Amino acid sequence: AQKITQTQPGMFVQEKEAVTLDCTYDTSDQSYGLFWYKQPSSGEMIFLIYQGSYDEQNATEGRYSLNFQKARKSANLVISASQLGDSAMYFCAMRDRGSNYKLTFGKGTLLTVNP
Amino acid sequence: GAVVSQHPSRVICKSGTSVKIECRSLDFQATTMFWYRQFPKQSLMLMATSNEGSKATYEQGVEKDKFLINHASLTLSTLTVTSAHPEDSSFYICSARRDANSNQPQHFGDGTRLSIL
């Protein structure tokens, strides 16, 4: 079974609007970490935001926020006020004891921001 | 600024050549670094975990004799693709994390595009 599931291969959003990228995860550990990374076409992996399993509040970093619903095992990324430069691949990842604390990535979502 | 540096960013070479890729943590010591491979339009696939001062741990299906990893210092890990062939052409990217704390993100290098002719 996949540990990280991103069900949206591609998403489109209009500039200045908000967009939600879905991520669900599967783990039996109580302690785990959830990460989102952005990968532009140039290839580098840019860390965006982190959510710990014990964090009670949703993580926020500027225009990025993480909608963490622990009971549903979902960790959706919300990008507000989309910009053209947000067009990229977005990967959700998890680190838990079951994976020896190695990052497990989802398949990614390609976000295209339209002007 | 970048905290992990990867070099070279692009390599084009003939079949049979061995290619070395370097991954450096710039402002922290990394006892553990990771090497990933990424095919076009796919996710990152972990190849191996590089441990300073000890042997690398390879993921299932990754040939350790093909992909040699050396982590000789706390700031440098190298991946050598030995006798590379066209099927080894891919995007290789390394990462490092500052410590084992689970809330610390892995920082990635900019990746290396390897093309074997």
Side-chain angles (χ1 to χ4, degrees), chain B residues 10 13 15 33 38 40 45 59 64 77 82 87 96 101 116:
Chain B
R10 186 172 184 97
C13 58
S15 186
M33 292 185 176
Q38 187 180 29
M45 180 190 77
E59 296 300 302
K64 58 182 69 175
S77 175
T82 61
E87 59 267 27
N101 190 324
I116 307 299

Side-chain angles (χ1 to χ4, degrees), chain B residues 76-111:
Chain B
L76 174 65
S77 175
T78 60
L79 168 68
T80 301
V81 184
T82 61
S83 187
H85 293 285
E87 59 267 27
D88 298 323
S89 298
S90 192
F91 185 67
Y92 294 87
I93 191 166
C94 71
S95 73
R97 64 175 190 243
R98 295 176 185 267
D99 55 45
N101 190 324
S102 65
N103 69 354
Q104 290 295 316
Q106 286 184 20
H107 297 282
F108 285 81
D110 287 348

